[in-house]
Each structure stands twice: as structure tokens, then as C-alpha cells.
């Protein structure tokens, strides 16, 4: 199972980064029909057809760890690139 592991540093307040991660979760639901749910204040679980994982917020970093199923394997590069760009935007202090 291919994995996507991304990390981005941030200097945002906890409520701000959580709100931004929630919005990213909404995009994942829209684009990949993945269900998202908060396990706690710092962990957003992602589960859908062909994708499973979590986004974890720490004091100064966001980690994305996703496992892709067979059907999404050919799209791994594109998904990783898109998620990387989204993370750059949402961790920027002026967004």
C-alpha cells in the first residue's frame, strides 16, 4: 500500500490551525469522498474508498499520514503534490 507522509511547520494558534485542517478535511471529502472525523483536538482521521490515515497537529507542525489503496496508486504523485500545496497554504501565517 503506497503511503503519503508530509509534514509542514506552522506558527499558528491551535484554534486557527485546527480550523484550517477542518477545511482541508472538507476538501478531502469533496474530492475523494473520504469521511473525516476528529479523534481528539489534534487528530483528524480520514477514511474512504482507497484512502485511510490521519492529519495530526502538534504545537508547531502538521503531519499528514495516508495509506492509499490499489485504485489510487497511479494518482499518488498528484495527490501528494496537491496535498503539499494545500498544506503550504494552510500553514502560512498570512492565510
Amino acid at each position: 500500500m503506497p503511503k503519503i507522509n508530509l509534514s509542514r511547520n506552522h506558527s499558528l494558534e491551535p484554534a486557527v490551525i485546527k480550523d484550517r485542517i477542518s477545511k482541508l478535511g472538507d476538501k478531502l471529502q469533496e474530492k475523494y469522498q473520504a469521511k473525516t472525523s476528529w479523534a481528539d483536538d489534534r487528530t483528524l482521521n480520514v477514511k474512504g474508498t482507497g484512502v485511510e490515515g490521519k492529519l495530526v497537529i502538534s504545537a508547531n507542525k502538521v503531519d499528514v499520514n495516508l495509506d492509499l489503496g490499489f485504485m489510487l496508486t497511479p494518482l499518488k504523485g498528484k495527490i501528494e503534490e496537491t496535498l503539499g500545496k494545500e498544506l503550504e497554504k494552510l500553514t502560512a501565517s498570512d492565510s
Side-chain angles (χ1 to χ4, degrees):
M1 211 180 244
K3 297 183 181 310
I4 293 177
N5 297 304
L6 300 170
S7 289
R8 294 293 184 273
N9 293 327
H10 73 84
S11 58
L12 301 168
E13 293 296 318
V16 173
I17 193 67
K18 184 176 180 183
D19 180 59
R20 292 181 183 186
I21 292 293
S22 288
K23 289 177 182 168
L24 177 58
D26 293 344
K27 287 182 181 182
L28 291 172
Q29 288 184 54
E30 262 181 50
K31 190 159 188 166
Y32 301 106
Q33 290 74 48
K35 302 267 188 244
T36 60
S37 62
W38 287 99
D40 54 42
D41 280 345
R42 296 177 173 251
T43 306
L44 181 68
N45 291 324
V46 178
K47 186 170 180 129
T49 305
V51 64
E52 186 172 342
K54 58 188 171 181
L55 289 78
V56 181
I57 304 167
S58 65
N60 59 0
K61 185 170 74 164
V62 175
D63 293 311
V64 176
N65 302 296
L66 299 175
D67 293 327
L68 299 180
F70 179 74
M71 295 297 285
L72 291 179
T73 298
L75 301 174
K76 178 185 185 269
K78 183 67 176 164
I79 294 169
E80 196 165 29
E81 179 184 340
T82 301
L83 276 174
K85 288 178 183 176
E86 288 294 326
L87 277 177
E88 285 296 326
K89 285 186 220 170
L90 72 87
T91 56
S93 50
D94 62 348
S95 289

